[in-house]
Amino acid sequence: MAVLNRAGVLAAADVHVTRTVARLADEDDEAVLLALALAVRGVRLGSSCVDLGGVLDDLRLEAPDVEWPTYVDDLDAWWARVDASPLAFGRDRVLVVERPLLHLVRYHALEVSLCRRLGERLALRPPPVDRAALDADLRRLFGDPGFAEQRAAAARAAHSWTTVLTGGPGSGKTTTIARLLAALASQHAATGHDRPLAVGLAAPTGKAAARMREAVAAASTNPVFTEAERDWLRTLPAGTVHRLLGSRPDHRTAFRHHAGQKLPYDVVVVDETSMVSLLLMERLVQAVPSGCRLVLVGDAEQLASVEAGAVLRDVVEGLGGDDSPVVTHLQQSHRFDGGIGALASAVVEGDADRVLDLLAEGVDAVSLRHPDEVEDVVSGRPAQQARAVARAAAEGDVPTALAALGEHRLLCAHRDGPYGVSHWNERLEREVRIFPDPARPWFVGRPVLVTRNDASLRVNNGDVGVTLDNGHRLVVHLDSTTTVSSTRLSSVQSAYASTVHRSQGSEFDHVTLLLPDEDSLVLSRELLYTAITRARTSLTIVATPEVLRRAVERRTARASGVARRLSAIVQLS
């Protein structure tokens, strides 16, 4: 472990956890401890388990100079030593052996619970449906040309207790949610209920929840809705999944709603499900009552949760993908017609040659610039934006400042380093401040990104605002109505640039993506796709063709047993 720590394979935390567990269990077999350390490392990197043989092959490529112990060359014997360890059996076991996967016991329990509960929901008798009323509502609500996919998704959700709706940006997921809810409200009344349909709308972050609420309200303006439906949809609240479940300040992973105290809803819709971790998804599914429809919405091609799990992708695969009767993949984009859509499709398909050709052609406002040109790129649109925001803020023009901030975003793969967020935030601050002072970060025109929810201030992780002087103190305008004193905002960073992870769920007219000039394990197909699909109008990528090719060809490898476990349950049902 010391050798692997020096090589950068194991973090100090991985070693510390492993040694602590080994001491408590009186286990000193080095082969067992290495397996445990790799399982701990896997969770830290977002996996819920580890494939010992697969991860060993990857690490030999990642750290070619490491001299591995001889016992790893006999995989069967290595597994046998792990299986015979007190860490892998008994009431106080830490490891669960399910070759080829090795789980930490907690994450194995989460996988088993999630799949079992989803399987139980799939085995339920379908909900009662007034077919004549449903057919009429679907014709009315989804009668627009090009909405056949959305109509089919709504029909599936009406006939099922659990459904999954996936698709890329602009595929109509939010439109489908609004129209589906209207159809379900009509069904609720048609099947004998005398109270309104109880709906829980949620998303992983406060910002995503706010966007969900706004999008549903905006979608309700379509004339396909009745006046009563329009008024009802506008009143539907949306919050974080944590708030939906009733987070407890005394316990990070326990909630007020659980298997013994179910949620009080008839329908629960979760948006941006790709960002939901394994633990949070398990807690959600156990809290949803059997007589409540659960609709999971998201883009399975996007980056997964920052915590362990790639649940949306695993659930879609485990349910059978596009062949599943409860999964609908919306494929027609109503937003991307040109280069951005073609580029996103090529990335999803893993076609690096096509990606490079599209960028080299520079068609439809997508282009590739070499890292040697990064200063010229940043001196263009990003610097112009910084000055426009500062100018409007100095004039006290809040709408113009916020509009300028929303037009463009500089995205980075890393937080630190020469191609990281911190560096470019400092660089762009110099466009409006001659002598930036880290000790005095606040100034008129500073754009800020909130990095933590604060219910007392009504601010959410992911909120973006602009700093102005109200004559007495500096305040941050998060939108046209929400204003917070800068002294009360402790968890913020400048928002000239942000990581691709933090941009999830947001959209900008123009995006500039800076990738490091050397290969990095952070770079992946999912990161590139997420960044590309943040842009509505134009996209500039700063990277070498070699780095871009590696990013397209590298898929995020998150080991998990969810898809396999859920698939087995589906086949038995």
Side-chain angles (χ1 to χ4, degrees):
M1 285 193 294
V3 170
L4 293 177
N5 176 236
R6 288 193 293 271
V9 173
L10 294 178
D14 303 332
V15 177
H16 175 71
V17 170
T18 300
R19 287 176 172 168
T20 300
V21 171
R23 184 175 65 254
L24 293 174
D26 196 25
E27 174 60 83
D28 58 4
D29 185 338
E30 182 184 284
V32 175
L33 299 186
L34 176 58
L36 172 59
L38 292 176
V40 173
R41 172 186 180 272
V43 170
R44 175 174 58 81
L45 296 179
S47 295
S48 56
C49 56
V50 63
D51 178 337
L52 282 186
V55 77
L56 186 63
D57 292 341
D58 292 341
L59 290 177
R60 278 177 160 153
L61 294 174
E62 180 184 335
D65 297 330
V66 170
E67 185 174 346
W68 292 87
T70 56
Y71 59 76
V72 303
D73 295 324
D74 188 340
L75 195 57
D76 289 334
W78 189 12
W79 273 113
R81 289 168 72 172
V82 175
D83 207 12
S85 169
L87 292 179
F89 63 83
R91 188 178 66 181
D92 297 324
R93 68 178 179 171
V94 176
L95 296 171
V96 178
V97 175
E98 284 188 346
R99 294 188 62 175
L101 303 179
L102 180 67
H103 288 76
L104 296 178
V105 67
R106 181 190 187 197
Y107 291 91
H108 179 268
L110 290 172
E111 284 193 1
V112 169
S113 174
L114 173 62
C115 294
R116 175 176 61 81
R117 294 177 190 280
L118 285 174
E120 290 171 350
R121 291 185 59 82
L122 294 171
L124 292 169
R125 183 186 299 273
V129 172
D130 184 322
R131 293 182 181 275
L134 179 62
D135 289 345
D137 284 329
L138 292 181
R139 284 195 300 270
R140 171 175 62 90
L141 293 165
F142 295 94
D144 298 342
F147 274 81
E149 289 180 334
Q150 287 82 355
R151 183 165 57 250
R156 286 179 168 180
H159 286 93
S160 307
W161 291 116
T162 303
T163 49
V164 181
L165 178 63
T166 72
S171 58
K173 297 189 295 295
T174 303
T175 299
T176 304
I177 292 172
R179 300 186 189 195
L180 166 64
L181 290 175
L184 293 180
S186 175
Q187 280 294 299
H188 190 70
T191 52
H193 296 87
D194 56 3
R195 59 171 178 78
L197 185 75
V199 178
L201 302 180
T205 68
K207 183 65 173 178
R211 283 193 298 268
M212 182 186 191
R213 181 178 61 251
E214 293 163 1
V216 168
S220 71
T221 61
N222 193 289
V224 299
F225 295 101
T226 66
E227 192 63 35
E229 288 170 341
R230 194 172 295 118
D231 292 342
W232 176 67
L233 287 169
R234 288 170 179 164
T235 65
L236 291 179
T240 64
V241 179
H242 283 83
R243 182 172 294 181
L244 181 84
L245 294 175
S247 57
R248 290 168 41 183
D250 60 325
H251 204 298
R252 193 176 70 88
T253 61
F255 300 91
R256 294 186 178 89
H257 292 287
H258 45 74
Q261 185 171 331
K262 301 287 190 176
L263 289 162
Y265 297 113
D266 302 306
V267 183
V268 169
V269 182
V270 180
D271 198 11
E272 299 288 356
T273 308
S274 64
M275 299 165 63
V276 178
S277 67
L278 171 63
L279 185 148
L280 193 57
M281 182 61 77
E282 190 278 337
R283 296 293 193 264
L284 172 69
V285 173
Q286 69 164 277
V288 176
S290 58
C292 171
R293 287 181 175 87
L294 174 62
V295 183
L296 303 176
V297 184
D299 186 348
E301 302 298 335
Q302 284 194 25
L303 287 165
S305 165
V306 294
E307 298 180 34
V311 182
L312 180 61
R313 185 184 303 163
D314 287 343
V315 168
V316 169
E317 180 183 344
L319 291 175
D322 292 349
D323 295 328
S324 170
V326 297
V327 175
T328 300
H329 181 193
L330 303 179
Q331 303 197 38
Q332 181 180 355
S333 176
H334 298 268
R335 182 185 307 160
F336 300 131
D337 296 322
I340 294 174
L343 191 64
S345 296
V347 169
V348 168
E349 294 165 5
D351 190 342
D353 290 335
R354 178 63 174 154
V355 168
L356 292 171
D357 287 345
L358 286 168
L359 289 168
E361 293 166 8
V363 297
D364 293 328
V366 297
S367 61
L368 178 66
R369 302 285 294 273
H370 193 276
D372 290 345
E373 303 174 86
V374 64
E375 185 59 42
D376 291 339
V377 173
V378 174
S379 296
R381 195 184 297 274
Q384 292 167 12
Q385 178 194 33
R387 293 192 292 269
V389 171
R391 185 165 52 250
E395 295 171 355
D397 188 344
V398 175
T400 300
L402 290 172
L405 182 58
E407 287 181 356
H408 174 268
R409 182 58 52 86
L410 181 65
L411 298 181
C412 304
H414 294 282
R415 286 190 297 269
D416 303 309
Y419 288 88
V421 168
S422 298
H423 172 80
W424 292 105
N425 272 331
E426 293 174 3
R427 160 66 183 83
L428 286 166
E429 185 179 332
R430 291 198 293 272
E431 292 291 326
V432 295
R433 297 180 85 190
I434 298 175
F435 301 109
D437 183 358
R440 300 179 62 189
W442 290 101
F443 57 93
V444 172
R446 181 194 185 193
V448 294
L449 170 70
V450 177
T451 58
R452 184 179 300 173
N453 294 338
D454 190 331
S456 66
L457 298 178
R458 293 188 303 166
V459 300
N460 299 307
N461 181 10
D463 283 347
V464 176
V466 178
T467 309
L468 283 86
D469 188 339
N470 70 353
H472 305 284
R473 63 186 186 280
L474 294 181
V475 296
V476 176
H477 289 261
L478 297 170
D479 53 43
S480 59
T481 60
T482 306
T483 305
V484 183
S485 171
S486 63
T487 58
R488 301 188 65 190
L489 286 172
S490 57
S491 299
V492 297
Q493 65 182 47
S494 292
Y496 297 110
S498 65
T499 62
V500 177
H501 269 94
R502 286 205 175 274
S503 74
Q504 280 185 273
S506 298
E507 297 171 10
F508 310 95
D509 289 335
H510 313 282
V511 165
T512 301
L513 173 63
L514 303 185
L515 299 182
D517 61 354
E518 297 180 355
D519 190 23
S520 165
L521 292 178
V522 171
L523 300 181
S524 67
R525 187 181 305 177
E526 290 79 7
L527 180 137
L528 190 58
Y529 170 82
T530 301
I532 290 169
T533 53
R534 299 312 92 204
R536 284 188 291 253
T537 304
S538 70
L539 169 74
T540 300
I541 299 178
V542 181
T544 64
E546 295 76 18
V547 165
L548 199 57
R549 178 178 294 278
R550 292 193 192 102
V552 173
E553 294 174 347
R554 178 187 290 124
R555 299 218 65 173
T556 300
R558 289 200 169 189
S560 164
V562 168
R564 183 180 67 173
R565 203 181 310 277
L566 186 56
S567 178
I569 291 173
V570 170
Q571 291 173 16
L572 289 174
S573 61

